[in-house]
Amino acid sequence: MIGLFGTAEDFLDAIYQYPGGWIADRFGRRNAFLIFLILAFAGYVVYLFGPTWPFAFLGLALVMAWQSMASPAMFAIIGDALPRARRAMGFTLQSILKRVPIVIAPIAGGVLIAALGIVKGIHVALVITLALALVTMLLVSRINVTIKTLQATGILGVWQTFHTALKRLLVSDVIIRTCEGMPA
């Protein structure tokens, strides 16, 4: 089940990217973030109150809304807010800052589990997570970045506008990520 959970997480991470970008373009960055946060919040509630382990998969489907769907909106905001010459550094900074909680959270969760036991430690961690999600909703509600309006297009239309070198880069990224996942 642990392997299936990890596979489901990777699968959702992949398929949620497109609807995330579509929602961000259709409803605006701030509204998209709020939608994704509400879905993730609901997922954490499912984790907290789910009566049996299969509910963890329902929680995962909801929680992944923030982790995966929000990425295109985050990149779009960086692209909208920064001049072309600063975007690479903006993406770099976002990538670094995104990983700080990924390093800290397991340590904090482990401390809670060691101090309170598995069930109570996880419950306390989830309550803290819900509180932080509420704080995030308050912060996100203050986002106000002007976006450039472009003509709507589908995924194939976007692919066709890519330079050949970018297409090769994306295909090579898919191949290396496939290789990366095989031994895991």
Side-chain angles (χ1 to χ4, degrees), residues 13 17 66-67 71 74-75 78 90-107 173 177 180:
D13 190 28
Q17 298 290 321
W66 178 259
Q67 182 174 327
S71 289
M74 189 76 67
F75 292 141
I78 292 169
F91 293 130
T92 302
L93 182 60
Q94 183 271 340
S95 293
I96 291 168
L97 292 175
K98 179 181 180 178
R99 282 157 180 81
V100 170
I102 294 171
V103 171
I104 295 171
I107 296 167
D173 188 52
R177 287 179 190 273
E180 176 186 283

Side-chain angles (χ1 to χ4, degrees), residues 37-73:
L37 274 166
I38 289 167
L39 289 171
F41 189 89
Y44 292 124
V45 169
V46 169
Y47 282 159
L48 184 59
F49 295 111
T52 58
W53 67 265
F55 280 86
F57 287 91
L58 173 61
L60 176 66
L62 295 167
V63 165
M64 290 299 291
W66 178 259
Q67 182 174 327
S68 300
M69 288 183 168
S71 289

Side-chain angles (χ1 to χ4, degrees), residues 11-12 18 24 45 49 61 63 72 76 103 116 120 125 129 137 140-141 144 149 156-157 165 167-168:
F11 176 74
L12 292 171
Y18 183 75
V45 169
F49 295 111
V63 165
V103 171
L116 305 172
K120 189 171 182 183
T129 299
M137 282 184 208
V140 165
S141 67
N144 190 16
T149 54
L156 291 176
K167 288 179 183 178
R168 285 189 200 126

Side-chain angles (χ1 to χ4, degrees), residues 22 26 45 48 52 61 75 89 101 115 117 135 138 150 158 164 177:
W22 182 84
R26 175 89 167 110
V45 169
L48 184 59
T52 58
F75 292 141
M89 190 51 71
V135 169
L138 291 172
L150 301 172
V158 172
T164 305
R177 287 179 190 273

